[in-house]
Amino acid sequence: MSWISDTLTLAKLTLLEHIRGWKVIITILSLFIYGAALLGGYKIIVLSQQFAASTPGVDLIAGGVLDKLSYYVPHVVSVFLLPLLAVFLGYNLINQDLNTGSMKFLVTQVSRTSIVAGRFLGLSSVFLIITFLPLFVYALALHLSLQVMLSHWTLLFIYGLAFFSLALLLSSVIRNTTFSLLASVVVIMAMVILLFTSYSFLSLFSFVSINPFSRLPGAWLPLLGWTLGYFLLSMVLFGVQDL
Amino acid sequence: MTLMLSTSGLTKQYGSKVAVDHINLHVEQGSFYGLIGPNGSGKTSTFGMLTGLLKPTSGEGMIASFPLKQMEKIKKKIGFLPQHAIPFAALTAREHLLFFSQLKHVSHTEEQCPSLIQQLGMSSYADTAVKKLSHGQSKMVGIAQAFLGSPELVILDEPMAGLDPATISMLRSFLQRQQQQKITILYSSHELAEVEKLCTHVGILKQGTLLKEGSLDALKAEANSLTLRVEKMVIPLIKSIERLPHVTAVSFMAPQLKIKYTGMEKITPHVIALLAKAGVQVYDIKEKSLEDLFLESV
């Protein structure tokens, strides 16, 4: 019970720190830009379809190009933007406290596993909250039903969670926050490269298509598996370190 | 004598460098124990092992009847102020204390937090964000945090470093009040005068080795000596000084007369009286203190 209570207290602290911090503002802005890109893409699709219907023969090529661009560009952005935002939020989740020394206050009062769990839980709540607003605006604009919106929200969350746990792992083992940010970006790039090799199963991107919503329903289990793996590894590696 | 903390052969090695070398600490319940030593002597590494920040390379220890391996149980019994640590920057001083009250499951938070804020003179900045506080103010937040709940043992790593004289005086009174409430305090310091004012027990560390340990009175008694610069000296007078109570040795190497003695009673007035009676002019008197013992040791 004490472990759960400590974890929840730490999650609350993480939530509070991020609400008061500047990173959340940048993340929300980025998500709005992403939402605007999706909306823009949607509008272009509608317009190109209307154009194709009114002037047959002329619009087939132009409409087709527009159609593809409008469809792929926002979704390419979404596939890579979300992981980048996730690591941006989480790259210093553990090592920031090590650098300021505040981790020493925590480690001498609560277990290291509850620190990792509390920080992860807190940041996941932050992500859950900050993805809601842009998605809600997007859903309203596209007249999506509440059910569809909630489904998209869950899928985005699971996708982001896998990259959060990756950032958590890196911030648990790398002391320097700049290096952990760089390492996160390098790992993401490596995962993109892995997609084109026979080791693509090691890449978190292999579970999503260009449209993150199209293949995610079947990919939630492996994504959650990776999340759990990274999370447990963070706990173990943080637990054995001298601080 | 009940021990709150004891270690046996506690050692910490970083690669080939031995930071703490088989130390055997004995901290009595209710005592105020000062661990003194120069930079790099192993004080912080010792505290690190006692609080779960560092894993001992070898050796054992007990805190509040729990072996060091049961660190999660020990954590519930101790409070700790790390040497270089900034409280959570996004919180105010009061929020920081309330947060740790929750972690420590303090039942009387409503009374204890305001009381600590008031006792440590933090009222003027209690609602200021920690990131806006000075080094000294941040340190006071850390000290208040260490005493939250009902810790049986409080470990403070250099609590006085970087504080102004007025704050040091207030902190000294606060720590003395805490010790009177039977809280065992273990702290490290470079300020030897401070150790003499506060501590009941002292341990001297040098290069990871515990050179001396004991009650302050016993160590002072061991350190007792008196050195006088005198105009002249004659053998009968040396014999007279040797016959004084508690004097163990007298040596004279012109112009220095050195007298060693045991016990806590100062012999200076008796020696001065003897020299005056013999018409010997005294130019300088130096009584050896714990600081001299410390400097000799390190």
Side-chain angles (χ1 to χ4, degrees):
Chain A
M1 284 307 286
S2 171
W3 189 90
I4 295 170
S5 144
D6 291 347
T7 302
L8 291 176
T9 307
L10 278 155
K12 266 197 296 187
L13 171 76
T14 311
L15 194 61
L16 189 67
E17 282 178 334
H18 279 82
I19 287 169
R20 290 179 182 178
W22 53 272
K23 284 205 292 188
V24 164
I25 296 164
I26 293 177
T27 310
I28 291 176
L29 279 175
S30 306
L31 286 169
F32 265 112
I33 293 165
Y34 157 67
L38 286 181
L39 273 176
Y42 175 77
K43 288 292 177 197
I44 292 168
I45 291 172
V46 172
L47 286 173
S48 67
Q49 281 171 350
Q50 285 170 354
F51 183 66
S54 60
T55 53
V58 181
D59 62 335
L60 279 176
I61 298 167
V65 172
L66 279 175
D67 216 19
K68 280 181 180 164
L69 280 176
S70 64
Y71 182 77
Y72 285 114
V73 170
H75 289 131
V76 166
V77 171
S78 74
V79 165
F80 296 105
L81 178 71
L82 279 176
L84 286 172
L85 286 177
V87 298
F88 172 68
L89 278 173
Y91 74 94
N92 60 355
L93 197 56
I94 300 292
N95 53 11
Q96 170 90 341
D97 290 335
L98 285 171
N99 289 333
T100 60
S102 47
M103 183 61 81
K104 289 181 181 173
F105 288 116
L106 284 181
V107 169
T108 52
Q109 295 303 326
V110 295
S111 74
R112 295 189 188 201
T113 52
S114 67
I115 294 171
V116 174
R119 284 303 201 186
F120 185 64
L121 186 64
L123 192 63
S124 303
S125 323
V126 173
F127 193 65
L128 201 60
I129 295 166
I130 62 177
T131 47
F132 177 77
L133 197 59
L135 205 62
F136 184 66
V137 173
Y138 172 58
L140 277 181
L142 293 184
H143 309 293
L144 296 178
S145 68
L146 184 67
Q147 196 184 353
V148 172
M149 196 208 80
L150 288 177
S151 151
H152 284 192
W153 191 27
T154 312
L155 296 172
L156 275 180
F157 178 65
I158 290 172
Y159 185 48
L161 207 59
F163 286 93
F164 269 144
S165 55
L166 174 66
L168 175 78
L169 174 62
L170 293 171
S171 75
S172 303
V173 292
I174 300 172
R175 283 287 175 100
N176 186 299
T177 52
T178 311
F179 287 157
S180 63
L181 179 61
L182 284 173
S184 304
V185 175
V186 167
V187 170
I188 285 179
M189 287 165 71
M191 283 185 175
V192 174
I193 295 166
L194 279 175
L195 280 176
F196 303 101
T197 69
S198 53
Y199 298 102
S200 62
F201 62 94
L202 289 173
S203 171
L204 292 175
F205 294 116
S206 66
F207 303 106
V208 292
S209 68
I210 292 300
N211 181 347
F213 307 137
S214 66
R215 275 182 60 193
L216 266 171
W220 66 271
L221 196 59
L223 277 173
L224 283 181
W226 277 104
T227 302
L228 188 65
Y230 287 140
F231 174 69
L232 292 176
L233 198 55
S234 307
M235 276 190 172
V236 171
L237 294 178
F238 182 63
V240 297
Q241 282 178 49
D242 273 347
L243 302 177
Chain B
M1 177 184 76
T2 312
L3 289 175
M4 171 57 68
L5 182 157
S6 65
T7 66
S8 170
L10 198 64
T11 302
K12 183 66 192 174
Q13 214 168 328
Y14 301 101
S16 59
K17 186 178 181 287
V18 182
V20 179
D21 193 4
H22 294 90
I23 65 165
N24 303 317
L25 281 175
H26 304 90
V27 180
E28 288 177 32
Q29 200 165 32
S31 66
F32 201 133
Y33 190 109
L35 193 61
I36 54 177
N39 286 333
S41 58
K43 301 187 295 292
T44 299
S45 291
T46 303
F47 285 178
M49 289 187 282
L50 297 175
T51 53
L53 291 168
L54 301 174
K55 305 252 183 299
T57 307
S58 63
E60 291 167 359
M62 297 278 282
I63 294 179
S65 308
F66 294 111
L68 285 184
K69 282 173 184 155
Q70 293 182 22
M71 190 46 76
E72 295 312 316
K73 287 181 179 165
I74 290 173
K75 284 176 184 178
K76 304 292 172 199
K77 304 278 183 186
I78 63 170
F80 178 54
L81 170 76
Q83 189 182 3
H84 301 295
I86 301 166
F88 294 102
L91 305 182
T92 66
R94 192 187 304 276
E95 284 172 341
H96 183 89
L97 295 182
L98 290 172
F99 167 68
F100 274 95
S101 296
Q102 278 182 285
L103 283 184
K104 291 183 176 194
H105 309 283
V106 179
S107 54
H108 51 293
T109 308
E110 302 291 318
E111 300 144 38
Q112 202 185 20
C113 283
S115 166
L116 282 168
I117 286 169
Q118 187 263 324
Q119 285 186 71
L120 287 165
M122 294 161 55
S123 304
S124 60
Y125 55 86
D127 296 306
T128 305
V130 167
K131 62 185 166 198
K132 292 180 182 166
L133 298 182
S134 68
H135 169 76
Q137 289 170 332
S138 291
K139 183 157 261 185
M140 298 309 276
V141 178
I143 291 167
Q145 172 272 138
F147 283 92
L148 278 172
S150 310
E152 291 180 26
L153 170 70
V154 174
I155 300 174
L156 307 167
D157 198 356
E158 306 265 4
M160 310 286 186
L163 299 181
D164 61 75
T167 310
I168 287 176
S169 170
M170 180 189 60
L171 182 56
R172 195 188 301 142
S173 310
F174 171 79
L175 293 176
Q176 281 166 335
R177 284 198 302 277
Q178 297 303 314
Q179 198 226 342
Q180 282 159 13
Q181 290 170 23
K182 304 295 175 200
I183 295 177
T184 309
I185 299 173
L186 166 62
Y187 94 127
S188 67
S189 179
H190 289 109
E191 298 295 325
L192 300 169
E194 216 42 78
V195 170
E196 285 192 87
K197 281 177 194 161
L198 281 169
C199 293
T200 57
H201 292 74
V202 176
I204 300 175
L205 267 180
K206 181 191 179 184
Q207 292 173 352
T209 307
L210 190 66
L211 293 179
K212 287 183 193 296
E213 185 193 51
S215 74
L216 184 68
D217 290 348
L219 286 177
K220 271 186 167 175
E222 189 186 320
N224 283 345
S225 77
L226 177 66
T227 305
L228 304 106
R229 201 154 62 85
V230 292
E231 173 199 14
K232 60 183 179 183
M233 185 51 58
V234 288
I235 290 172
L237 190 52
I238 291 176
K239 296 284 177 200
S240 303
I241 295 169
E242 277 175 349
R243 282 195 292 273
L244 283 172
H246 309 300
V247 171
T248 54
V250 180
S251 61
F252 179 70
M253 190 173 283
Q256 281 199 331
L257 175 68
K258 197 166 185 178
I259 303 158
K260 284 204 154 215
Y261 61 99
T262 58
M264 294 307 293
E265 195 190 333
K266 298 278 181 204
I267 61 155
T268 314
H270 305 294
V271 174
I272 299 290
L274 271 178
L275 293 172
K277 198 174 167 187
V280 176
Q281 180 99 28
V282 177
Y283 298 114
D284 188 32
I285 303 169
K286 195 181 174 201
E287 284 183 90
K288 197 170 163 188
S289 65
L290 186 65
E291 185 165 2
D292 299 300
L293 177 70
F294 170 70
L295 290 173
E296 271 178 24
S297 302
V298 299

